[in-house]
Structures are given as C-alpha cells and as structure tokens.
C-alpha cells in the first residue's frame, strides 16, 4: 500500500475504557500511544513506539487513566467499549498479590496456584496473560502452565508446557519470552485422543513445577497460573479437577460459566477458592477453520519466527538407522482381552515403535530428551520439534525441518497427529 493512502485515525480514550479492533487484511495495522498510559492484555505500552498487528489479530487497548492512540491501516470494526471486566481482573490480581506477600517470608509455603477455566472463547488465555503481566510488573516470577494441547501458547500444538515468566508478554505476539520452557509431547490437538496420557502429563508437569518451587524461592512465592482448554463437560471436567488436585491449586478462576462455577464449588470443597469472573464482551469467537489455521501458523512460527524476528530452520537428512520413531499410546483393547497381569491403563502410555515410511510425511514430531527407548519416553520432556518434510524409501532417509543444525542431539522421535506442510 502506498504510504500516503494508508488511513490514519486518532482515538481518545477516557479512563477505564478500551479500544477494540481486529485485523483482517494482508496489510498490518500499526498502533502508537500518543499520550497518557495504556496497556494491551496486561503489557504496558511504551509511548510513541509503533506496534504492528498482522492478519488475524484481535486486540484491546485498555487505559486506566485515559490516553490518545493512533491507528494506521484498516482495522476491522474498531470501537471503544466502556464496559470491561478489567477492574474485576485487577482485583483478582490484588488478591493473588496478597497471598504472595503472605508467603514471601515463609520458607515452606508456596504462593497462589491458580487454575483458569471456562468454555471455549471466554478469554482464558487472555486472562492468564493479564494476570501474569501484572504479576511480573510487580516484580514476581510466576510459572505459566498451559494445558491447552489444541492452541498451546508456550510451544507448538499437541503439547502441554510450563514456562517461568519474568516479564509481560510481547505486545504484538502475545507470547512470553521462552526462558527454559518445559515441554511434554502429547501428540494431538484434542485431550480426548488419549485421555489417560493427557492426565499423566498434567501430573508430570505438576511434579516438575513443584520441584521448581522447592529450588527457586522467587518462583515459590509467585506461584503459578495454569491455563486450560475450553472443554468443560465429561472428560473435560475430569481433567480440570485433576489439574486442580495435581497442582494443589488454591484458587480456581471460572470465566463466565455459572454452571461450571457451581459444579467446581461442589466438587472441590472449601480448601479451594472458586471465583466466578465476568467474560469480556470483546472476546472474539473463533471458528474451527480459524483454529486450524492458527495451529499451522503456530508451527510455522516455531520454525520461521515472525516478520519482526525471523528464524532460519535447518533441513537435513537422517538415515533410517539413525533415528527411532515412536508413538505414545496404542488403541485400547477390551479388558476381557487383556492378559491377566496387564494393568488396565497400560495402553495410554505404551511406547509403540513406528515403521519408517511415507505415512511420516509432514508429521510434526517431538524430539525426546530421553537418551534411549529404555527410558520412560511418555513422561520425558522434549528438546523441541522437527517436521518430516520428505521420506525416501530408496535412500532410506528422512528429511527433517529442524530449528537446530544437524546432528540431532538425541535419536528418539515421537510422532503426533499434527501435520505441517512446509510451503517455504
Ligand atoms: N477485551 C478484548 N477485546 C478484543 N479482543 C479480545 C479481548 N479479550 C480477548 N480478545 C481476543 O479474543 C480471542 C479469544 O480470547 P482467548 O484466546 O483468551 O479465549 P480462550 O478462552 O482462551 O479461547 P480457547 O477456548 O480457544 O482457549 C483472542 O484472539 C483474544 O485476543
Ligand atoms: Mg485459550
């Protein structure tokens, strides 16, 4: 677009209002804070700096005291809302901060362990970002845990992960700096695909986060914020309760859903504070195809970075004899068909060897940190991810797209049902 034809608009926001807009244009929309103070989902905007939002972005610029901002480009449906739940969210932060203060000096107590729940598109991930942003602005270092294997905000889809956080999320990308993330490969975008493995990985993440609290005093007092996926019925509810138990959560924030709030209050007992918070009217529902596209965009970003910060992945061949490829979990067989000594839940975390053939094409694979298949591959975290971009049965090689150069640091690959076609 010719710079002179780019529309420019100025917006004046009074205290406690927010400017909402979406981007559905190949050209980005840029935002600049002209005066006053403002924040985007918990991250304060520095004055006069330009921020660029690409196609698909859904943004809210909130101000506590009033501000003026400039938008350049063609935002979709920009409007100012005076009705936001930000005061309720700030109060939630203040209550968590009180808990942190009260455990700060006690060596053996842990700060708030917060689980955020609600159905699809109620703003769970956004609330995590806001609460973590506020906590770090108060000098805290909480652990962010994302149990959403469909739209994971720490690593690629198909995993669950934890990340120590010490600064607010990036304004444009909405992600936190990746300082020593802990990532477990789950292998699917849906918790129902292998529900027992999903529960086992929640337990595993909780165990490591607890260990971290034991080692790092600043994390211990700051506690953790656990994001969940939008499945709240049936197994979804069971997974929420499991997460609350395993993370020993003392606060559950329920967004929008009175029924879920009441169910959790009944199930969790009085040792857990269950709090109902309003959903923001700005939260945008996303279609199934938007979510699929977002998954592919997340994998692309993992390998290629962003327009602002490009990454240059490597592509190399590995021989069939140089890697071992596994799938975690095998289809369940009826109990009556199991050998007498077989444990009922064996199948979920069973490591099954996978044949190297064309079926692996485009498969996103986790690179296990296990030094060999004798270790517990299901419960070992991954170093990162690769994509199989070619399979040569003739040469007996796999071509891998990898963030790091050849050779692979380990040789056990875990397949997922997430496929990424590398068009670059
Ligand atoms: N106040 C707001 N104004 C405008 N957009 C918003 C606002 N709050 C959230 N959004 C946008 O709405 C979308 C959905 O929000 P979010 O991802 O937090 O929901 P979620 O409950 O985590 O969804 P899911 O069920 O997929 O996990 C996001 O793109 C987010 O940027
Ligand atoms: Mg979410």
């Amino acid at each position: 677009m010719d710079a002179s034809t780019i529309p420019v608009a100025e917006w004046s926001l009074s205290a406690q209002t927010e400017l909402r807009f979406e981007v559905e244009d190949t050209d980005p929309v840029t935002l600049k804070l002209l005066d006053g103070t403002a924040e985007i989902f918990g991250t304060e905007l520095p004055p006069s700096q330009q921020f660029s939002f690409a196609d698909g972005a859904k943004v809210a610029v909130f101000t506590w005291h009033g501000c003026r901002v400039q938008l350049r480009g063609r935002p979709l449906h920009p409007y100012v809302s005076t009705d936001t739940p930000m005061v309720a969210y700030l109060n939630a932060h203040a209550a968590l901060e009180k808990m942190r203060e009260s455990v700060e000096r006690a060596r053996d107590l842990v700060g708030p362990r917060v689980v955020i729940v609600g159905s699809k598109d109620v703003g769970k991930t956004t609330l995590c970002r806001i609460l973590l942003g506020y906590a770090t602005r108060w000098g805290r270092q909480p652990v962010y845990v994302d149990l959403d294997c469909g739209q994971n905000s720490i690593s690629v889809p198909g995993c669950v992960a934890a990340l120590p956080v010490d600064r607010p999320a990036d304004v444009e990308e909405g992600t936190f700096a990746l300082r020593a993330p802990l990532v477990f490969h789950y292998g699917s975008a849906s918790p129902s695909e292998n529900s027992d493995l999903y529960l086992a990985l929640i337990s595993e993440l909780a165990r490591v986060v607890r260990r971290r609290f034991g080692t790092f005093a600043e994390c211990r007092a700051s506690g953790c914020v656990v994001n969940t996926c939008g499945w709240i019925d049936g197994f979804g509810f069971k997974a929420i309760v499991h997460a609350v138990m395993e993370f020993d959560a003392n606060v559950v924030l329920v967004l929008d859903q009175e029924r879920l709030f009441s169910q959790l209050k009944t199930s969790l007992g009085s040792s857990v504070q269950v709090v109902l918070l309003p959903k923001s009217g700005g939260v945008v529902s996303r279609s199934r195809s938007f979510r699929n596209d977002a998954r592919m965009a997340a994998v692309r970003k993992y390998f290629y970075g962003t327009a602002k910060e490009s990454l240059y992945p490597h592509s190399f061949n590995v021989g069939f004899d140089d890697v071992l490829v596994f799938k975690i979990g095998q289809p369940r067989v009826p109990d009556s068909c199991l050998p007498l000594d077989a444990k009922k839940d064996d199948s979920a975390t069973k490591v099954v060897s996978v044949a190297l053939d064309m079926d692996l094409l485009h498969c996103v694979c986790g690179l296990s940190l296990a030094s060999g298949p004798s270790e517990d591959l299901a419960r070992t975290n991954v170093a990162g991810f690769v994509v199989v971009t070619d399979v040569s049965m003739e040469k007996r090689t796999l071509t891998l797209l990898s963030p790091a150069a050849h050779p692979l640091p380990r040789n056990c690959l875990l397949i997922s049902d997430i496929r990424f076609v590398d068009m670059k």
Side-chain angles (χ1 to χ4, degrees), residues 151-191:
Q151 315 274 329
N152 199 275
S153 52
I154 298 175
S155 190
V156 299
C159 74
V160 290
L163 178 72
V165 172
D166 63 359
R167 70 200 71 167
D170 181 87
V171 170
E172 292 162 338
E173 295 301 322
T175 47
F176 292 96
L178 287 180
R179 197 171 51 97
L182 174 80
V183 183
F184 285 98
H185 174 91
Y186 168 63
S188 170
S190 165

Side-chain angles (χ1 to χ4, degrees), residues 18 20 41 58-60 119-126 148 151 230 280 282-284 286 291:
E18 73 184 16
R20 296 171 183 161
F41 304 136
K58 299 164 196 324
V59 186
S119 56
K120 260 197 310 195
D121 293 321
V122 288
K124 299 178 295 300
T125 306
T126 306
D148 187 351
Q151 315 274 329
S280 165
V283 179
V284 184
R286 290 155 304 165
R291 283 166 192 273

Side-chain angles (χ1 to χ4, degrees), residues 103-104 107 109 212-223:
V103 302
E104 211 159 15
R107 282 181 143 265
L109 294 178
R212 194 179 170 86
F213 288 152
T215 319
F216 299 101
E218 62 284 4
C219 280
R220 185 183 47 70
S222 302

Side-chain angles (χ1 to χ4, degrees), residues 48-294:
S48 307
Q49 199 171 314
Q50 291 228 10
F51 293 98
S52 178
F53 296 93
D55 191 13
K58 299 164 196 324
V59 186
V61 185
F62 178 82
T63 177
W64 287 107
H65 306 291
C67 71
R68 236 164 23 92
V69 294
Q70 183 196 68
L71 285 186
R72 279 171 73 87
R74 300 181 200 285
L76 185 72
H77 312 310
Y79 69 98
V80 174
S81 171
T82 52
D83 181 18
T84 85
M86 290 302 284
V87 171
Y89 296 174
L90 184 68
N91 286 341
H93 160 73
L96 299 179
E97 198 45 39
K98 271 218 165 74
M99 291 181 191
R100 292 183 183 118
E101 277 165 16
S102 72
V103 302
E104 211 159 15
R105 276 165 291 277
R107 282 181 143 265
D108 49 346
L109 294 178
V110 179
R113 286 88 59 207
V114 187
V115 177
I116 296 182
V117 301
S119 56
K120 260 197 310 195
D121 293 321
V122 288
K124 299 178 295 300
T125 306
T126 306
L127 180 59
C128 289
R129 192 171 150 187
I130 293 172
L131 293 179
L132 290 163
Y134 287 171
T136 56
R137 282 163 67 182
W138 255 253
R140 302 294 180 185
Q141 296 186 32
V143 176
Y144 177 35
V145 178
D146 197 348
L147 303 180
D148 187 351
C149 53
Q151 315 274 329
N152 199 275
S153 52
I154 298 175
S155 190
V156 299
C159 74
V160 290
L163 178 72
V165 172
D166 63 359
R167 70 200 71 167
D170 181 87
V171 170
E172 292 162 338
E173 295 301 322
T175 47
F176 292 96
L178 287 180
R179 197 171 51 97
L182 174 80
V183 183
F184 285 98
H185 174 91
Y186 168 63
S188 170
S190 165
S192 64
E193 201 55 44
N194 185 347
S195 49
D196 288 345
L197 174 63
Y198 185 68
L199 296 181
L201 292 181
I202 292 178
S203 306
E204 208 50 39
L205 263 179
R207 195 179 61 79
V208 183
V209 170
R210 269 199 305 274
R211 215 168 52 203
R212 194 179 170 86
F213 288 152
T215 319
F216 299 101
E218 62 284 4
C219 280
R220 185 183 47 70
S222 302
C224 61
V225 175
V226 181
N227 193 14
T228 57
C229 59
W231 187 11
I232 56 170
D233 298 313
F235 173 72
F237 184 79
K238 183 176 168 186
I240 290 173
V241 173
H242 182 75
V244 171
M245 297 301 173
E246 291 294 295
F247 282 91
D248 190 23
N250 54 352
V251 179
V252 176
L253 301 179
V254 185
L255 276 171
D256 194 45
Q257 274 265 340
E258 262 184 87
R259 186 168 68 102
L260 178 63
F261 167 70
S262 147
Q263 278 176 310
L264 284 170
K265 260 185 111 63
T266 313
S267 306
L268 296 177
S270 57
S271 61
V272 184
Q273 281 187 54
V274 185
V275 180
L276 182 65
L277 287 176
K279 163 191 168 180
S280 165
V283 179
V284 184
S285 297
R286 290 155 304 165
S287 64
R288 183 185 280 258
S289 74
F290 184 97
R291 283 166 192 273
N292 280 339
D293 291 352

